[in-house]
Amino acid sequence: MRSINHIKIRNRKIPGGVNLSLFLVLLLSVQTVAAQKIVDYVNPFIGTTNFGATNPGAVVPQGMVSVVPFNVSGSADNTFDKDSRWWSTPYGWENNYFTGYSHVNLSGVGCPELGVILLMPTSGEVTASNKAYGSAMSSQQASPGYYSNQLTKYGIKTEVTATERAGLSKFTFPAGKSNILIDLGAGLTNENGAMIRVVNNREMEGWRMTGSFCYNDGSERPVYFVARFSQAADEFGVWKKMPAMKAEASWTKTNNQFKYYESFNQHMAGDSIGAWMTFNTKPDTEILVKVGVSYVSIDNARENLDAEIDGFDFENVVEQAAEKWEKTLSKVKVKGGTEDQKTIFYTALYHTQLHPNIIQDVNGQYPEMESNGIGKTCNNRYTVFSLWDTYRNLHPLMSLIYPDKQLDMVRSMVDMYQESGWMPKWELNSKETHVMEGDPAIPVIVDTYLRGLRDFDVEAAWQAMRKSATTKGSDNKLRPDIDDYLQKGYVPLTEEFDNSVSHALEYYIADWNLAQLAKSIGKTEDYHQFLKQSQGYKNYFDAEYGVLRPKLADGSFLTPFNPRQGENFEPCPGFHEGTAWQYTFAVPHDVEGLMKLMGGKNAFVQKLQKVFDEGLFDMANEPDIHYPWLFNFVKGEEWRGQKELARLIETYFKNTPDGLPGNDDCGTLSAWLVYGMMGFYPVCPGNMDYALANPVFDEVSIELDPNFYPGKTITIRKAKSTKTDAFVRSIRWNGKTTKNFFIKHNDLVSGGVLEFIR
């Protein structure tokens, strides 16, 4: 499924006395080893089914542009169609009907958005309906920064690659009348509205409206583009869909039909609009199209295009994209393990480097948060902050392996506060979508600060976080139900299927983090206040069921109550996308306190084990993904976590399109997997202890950034297998046995060797 590196043997003299066949075999072996790079282990098709919502498109690390095959519309033969069900990705592995390449996309999310600026090659007469111009596809190949397929209807080979702000497509046409369409009516987003203009017979420009993520109004923003062709078109034009008429229908030929405007070079605006270029081609004619994108202006899109793709050297852009991925992924090197395990690991690491992505143009301009203003930065300005998901593990991973990127992400978040008055919750293209729960920017920023990355406006960050933690609900965009939370210590259930318990649990984690920052910067009174607030989860604990249970405003528990309600995304009182079982242990900031509520360590372990034994655990969603690591908090029970981790990794993560258990959520499930396969995990953001478990590989080597950390390398060595003991019993750090199955962040980044012993 991945692209294949073909090995060529050059003509050379063969040493005397060496068998020709043996020499060729040895030469092939040497060249194969030499050609084996880390990017060769990435399989971009992993997660493209089973609702993983990833895609195999061409993209560079944190790129604003991704050129993705769009195959979720236009044909009843597709297994999944974006308009016939809830569907959140421009590509589905099961689908075969291709309608073009979209140029701005999201990876691993649970709601439809973006997937616009569709570029489609065809042959014959121009038609604007994707039901007519789409084609079955075959021969798919994908590798980091590259994707290709064959359009069986037309005999056209398509290949795409990308830079940070531009995409480059190469279409190999047969002889005849060949067309390249830009369809601005189609797309994954639920927003309509666009403009396009043919600048000349080699260039088009325009914009497409996006927004309404998760069907929430208020997050709309246009994306601008410029498309340039490698040769002049013989014909061109634009189209638009005419409205359905009543009395006038009998007098027009275009009632509710597409109307075509040949040689039209004025602005065309509307909902279902597009444009085409037509070329009279000979066999195997290659025509390339490069598309620059900006969220600021058409002029900036053109500047981005000119700066990043000079000419039409497709192979060079592919090579540069692969080099960027090789540099990024080679921060972590592994030895041992199977070929599939290496592919699963490096594909997961690859998926963690897609979002957040940059949004600033080459001139530093970007759209300001929640406004039409234009800002300018000297750093990278990031967007796509799915913080309810990513605060748990992706941002700590970024701090460890890519601290320079994480620092710019925090700077971006602080700038968003300074531009809009609030920290982001689920930010997309400088718009707040108000999706999911809590106040998730707080644990991200505090965790980053405590890991030693402090070159940002800490005072502004503190003011922003304290504001959301203290402002009354009627004026609070992040905690609208804060009044009861502060007065009662919990958020009461007020509607049948509200998410009251989920809201409060997120506030507790945020307030605990806020307390840690207050302590660090000398704000003692705030420290005690927020630490006390973080203990409010105890209000929800019901001794009868032994789980957290929704409470009403009068202090009584919700009745009737089923702690398993909410499985498989069934609506559930008090809990969002989960059950009471999947939230009861979601207090990683106070595991010791939870143990006491449950009756001690033994009861805690037995109840936690029950979650796994009785199928109450959900690997496909975030609230309980730290559960396996909680066994480490009870000495002598760490083996249980090792057992469950090994089972979960083996069961749910594969080198196949269904190799993710559910939405990757902007790299969160992938970050969980990266940590798990390396043998450690940040159980609670803001807590600088990593929990430890036996890694999958014989050896893992993490290259530390000398600009941020004193150490050079972290080396992790797997315990050797024995017949008598299946689990790790002790751990050595730089030759000394550790006291428990945890290691502190500061110790780890000082560099050294972590050894697991059976």
Side-chain angles (χ1 to χ4, degrees):
M1 291 183 290
R2 291 169 288 166
S3 63
I4 300 171
N5 292 315
H6 297 283
I7 299 172
K8 297 180 179 179
I9 302 176
R10 299 175 180 176
N11 293 326
R12 63 186 69 189
K13 293 183 178 180
I14 302 174
V18 178
N19 178 274
L20 175 62
S21 298
L22 177 60
F23 178 79
L24 291 176
V25 169
L26 291 173
L27 184 58
L28 270 172
S29 299
V30 170
Q31 291 190 345
T32 300
V33 171
Q36 189 73 11
K37 296 182 178 180
I38 287 176
V39 290
D40 298 331
Y41 285 111
V42 175
N43 178 2
F45 291 105
I46 290 177
T48 57
T49 185
N50 195 36
F51 302 98
T54 63
N55 65 72
V59 63
V60 297
Q62 277 77 38
M64 180 164 66
V65 164
S66 57
V67 190
V68 175
F70 196 93
N71 70 346
V72 294
S73 181
S75 174
D77 293 335
N78 278 341
T79 303
F80 298 106
D81 187 279
K82 76 179 191 69
D83 295 321
S84 64
R85 57 167 299 143
W86 186 289
W87 190 254
S88 64
T89 175
Y91 175 92
W93 170 257
E94 297 91 342
N95 291 354
N96 190 47
Y97 190 78
F98 174 87
T99 57
Y101 287 104
S102 51
H103 283 73
V104 286
N105 304 275
L106 298 174
S107 175
V109 300
C111 292
E113 186 46 73
L114 301 184
V116 294
I117 312 175
L118 265 65
L119 189 70
M120 177 69 189
T122 70
S123 294
E125 295 303 313
V126 170
T127 180
S129 170
N130 63 6
K131 292 181 173 62
Y133 70 61
S135 169
M137 61 181 178
S138 64
S139 305
Q140 294 187 78
Q141 292 187 354
S143 60
Y146 175 85
Y147 172 87
S148 174
N149 66 25
Q150 189 80 19
L151 303 187
T152 56
K153 179 178 180 178
Y154 303 114
I156 298 172
K157 182 179 181 180
T158 81
E159 300 172 85
V160 295
T161 186
T163 63
E164 283 76 8
R165 301 169 183 85
L168 180 60
S169 302
K170 180 169 72 171
F171 305 131
T172 305
F173 289 100
K177 186 177 182 180
S178 299
N179 317 296
I180 298 177
L181 318 178
I182 293 185
D183 191 340
L184 299 184
L188 189 64
T189 181
N190 292 294
E191 275 296 316
N192 292 319
M195 184 281 290
I196 196 165
R197 182 174 79 94
V198 179
V199 178
N200 54 50
N201 59 4
R202 292 187 63 162
E203 187 171 299
M204 300 178 187
E205 65 183 23
W207 55 263
R208 174 63 153 91
M209 185 62 75
T210 67
S212 301
F213 182 68
C214 283
Y215 304 94
N216 292 322
D217 293 336
S219 59
E220 300 80 15
R221 188 176 292 282
V223 56
Y224 304 90
F225 71 92
V226 170
R228 192 171 297 149
F229 298 74
S230 60
Q231 67 181 65
D234 297 297
E235 303 171 26
F236 64 83
V238 302
W239 72 74
K240 72 175 179 181
K241 181 76 173 289
M242 298 298 288
M245 300 178 182
K246 294 183 180 180
E248 302 98 326
S250 60
W251 303 322
T252 178
K253 296 180 181 180
T254 57
N255 173 49
N256 200 31
Q257 301 292 318
F258 285 102
K259 185 174 182 179
Y260 300 89
Y261 302 76
E262 297 181 2
S263 302
F264 189 86
N265 61 0
Q266 303 300 308
H267 292 81
M268 177 62 73
D271 291 336
S272 297
I273 66 170
W276 77 88
M277 295 276 191
T278 296
F279 308 85
N280 297 316
T281 58
K282 297 179 180 179
D284 297 324
T285 296
E286 294 180 352
I287 300 177
L288 290 86
V289 188
K290 52 185 178 180
V291 179
V293 165
S294 167
Y295 286 92
V296 173
S297 67
I298 289 175
D299 287 343
N300 278 16
R302 184 172 284 108
E303 186 176 355
N304 289 341
L305 184 60
D306 291 339
E308 294 193 351
I309 304 181
D310 181 19
F312 292 88
D313 190 339
F314 186 84
E315 285 69 26
N316 182 56
V317 178
V318 171
E319 184 179 348
Q320 288 180 359
E323 288 175 354
K324 291 172 184 176
W325 278 114
E326 183 72 18
K327 180 179 179 181
T328 297
L329 300 178
S330 63
K331 295 292 184 180
V332 184
K333 295 183 174 66
V334 301
K335 295 180 181 179
T338 66
E339 293 297 288
D340 274 352
Q341 286 172 333
K342 290 176 181 176
T343 295
I344 292 166
F345 176 81
Y346 280 115
T347 304
L349 189 59
Y350 166 86
H351 282 146
T352 68
Q353 299 306 296
L354 299 177
H355 302 306
N357 56 263
I358 62 168
I359 193 174
Q360 89 280 2
D361 297 322
V362 292
N363 61 14
Q365 292 184 335
Y366 64 88
E368 290 185 337
M369 184 70 173
E370 295 286 76
S371 77
N372 296 319
I374 298 173
K376 191 166 186 177
T377 180
C378 296
N379 302 310
N380 279 327
R381 168 70 174 231
Y382 283 96
T383 183
V384 189
F385 284 93
S386 178
L387 294 173
W388 181 84
D389 305 295
T390 58
Y391 86 79
R392 303 166 196 272
N393 54 30
L394 184 136
H395 287 287
L397 184 73
M398 295 298 296
S399 291
L400 177 66
I401 304 177
Y402 309 102
D404 55 334
K405 296 181 182 180
Q406 177 60 18
L407 191 55
D408 273 347
M409 290 175 188
V410 169
R411 289 169 177 155
S412 298
M413 295 164 68
V414 175
D415 285 345
M416 289 174 192
Y417 159 70
Q418 294 176 324
E419 294 160 7
S420 71
W422 296 93
M423 279 292 182
K425 178 186 287 186
W426 211 123
E427 176 274 348
L428 174 60
N429 294 333
S430 293
K431 287 286 188 174
E432 180 53 65
T433 67
H434 304 287
V435 175
M436 302 309 293
E437 269 79 46
D439 200 346
I442 291 178
V444 171
I445 293 173
V446 173
D447 185 84
T448 303
Y449 177 88
L450 294 177
R451 294 190 191 281
L453 310 183
R454 301 181 178 184
D455 188 14
F456 61 94
D457 193 336
V458 177
E459 181 58 30
W462 168 258
Q463 293 300 328
M465 295 185 290
R466 195 179 190 284
K467 176 182 178 180
S468 63
T470 57
T471 301
K472 64 181 181 179
S474 60
D475 298 328
N476 199 321
K477 291 187 177 182
L478 294 175
R479 305 192 192 193
D481 44 12
I482 193 175
D483 295 344
D484 281 327
Y485 174 81
L486 294 179
Q487 294 166 12
K488 301 175 184 294
Y490 67 95
V491 177
L493 185 83
T494 57
E495 298 178 8
E496 181 181 7
F497 294 123
D498 73 14
N499 302 319
S500 53
V501 184
S502 296
H503 284 204
L505 288 172
E506 295 298 332
Y507 300 158
Y508 299 137
I509 293 174
D511 283 350
W512 182 86
N513 271 270
L514 205 48
Q516 307 314 304
L517 181 58
K519 183 179 181 180
S520 179
I521 62 179
K523 298 185 182 292
T524 305
E525 185 176 342
D526 286 323
Y527 164 71
H528 290 296
Q529 175 189 339
F530 293 122
L531 186 64
K532 181 180 179 181
Q533 288 175 196
S534 74
Q535 298 296 301
Y537 74 90
K538 297 172 183 177
N539 287 290
Y540 288 117
F541 187 77
D542 177 22
E544 177 185 355
Y545 285 91
V547 297
L548 302 187
R549 180 175 178 178
K551 260 190 171 181
L552 306 180
D554 63 7
S556 62
F557 284 116
L558 172 68
T559 302
F561 172 64
N562 175 8
R564 295 192 64 154
Q565 185 175 351
E567 293 178 340
N568 300 314
F569 290 90
E570 171 195 10
C572 177
F575 299 102
H576 191 181
E577 298 182 357
T579 69
W581 283 107
Q582 290 155 8
Y583 275 95
T584 287
F585 293 87
V587 286
H589 61 287
D590 190 28
V591 177
E592 297 293 334
L594 185 61
M595 284 184 192
K596 292 179 181 178
L597 286 179
M598 291 182 172
K601 295 181 178 180
N602 184 62
F604 173 88
V605 168
Q606 296 307 313
K607 193 175 295 293
L608 184 58
Q609 188 63 58
K610 176 181 178 178
V611 172
F612 296 100
D613 292 346
E614 298 186 12
L616 305 174
F617 179 79
D618 184 8
M619 186 67 253
N621 212 1
E622 278 71 20
D624 61 357
I625 58 175
H626 64 290
Y627 278 22
W629 300 93
L630 295 179
F631 287 112
N632 281 29
F633 286 84
V634 181
K635 190 172 181 61
E637 303 291 350
E638 301 91 349
W639 65 272
R640 296 178 185 269
Q642 298 172 43
K643 176 184 176 183
E644 299 302 338
L645 283 167
R647 179 182 64 82
L648 292 170
I649 292 172
E650 179 70 21
T651 302
Y652 291 105
F653 299 93
K654 308 168 187 175
N655 183 18
T656 55
D658 63 349
L660 288 175
N663 290 166
D664 196 33
D665 288 325
C666 295
T668 304
L669 291 189
S670 288
W672 183 94
L673 181 61
V674 168
Y675 271 124
M677 297 184 82
M678 292 194 302
F680 62 104
Y681 192 79
V683 177
C684 179
N687 185 329
M688 295 297 102
D689 288 343
Y690 294 105
L692 302 174
N694 206 25
V696 168
F697 302 102
D698 294 341
E699 184 173 293
V700 178
S701 177
I702 303 171
E703 178 187 336
L704 295 170
D705 189 331
N707 294 315
F708 295 90
Y709 298 126
K712 182 178 180 181
T713 306
I714 302 167
T715 301
I716 305 168
R717 292 180 181 149
K718 180 180 181 180
K720 296 181 179 179
S721 300
T722 68
K723 296 181 179 180
T724 58
D725 203 338
F727 303 108
V728 171
R729 295 299 180 183
S730 65
I731 301 168
R732 288 199 293 256
W733 172 244
N734 288 335
K736 295 182 179 180
T737 301
T738 60
K739 295 180 180 179
N740 50 40
F741 278 53
F742 293 92
I743 188 169
K744 293 189 177 300
H745 173 78
N746 284 342
D747 289 338
L748 203 61
V749 298
S750 294
V753 179
L754 186 66
E755 298 175 282
F756 291 84
I757 311 298
R758 293 188 193 273

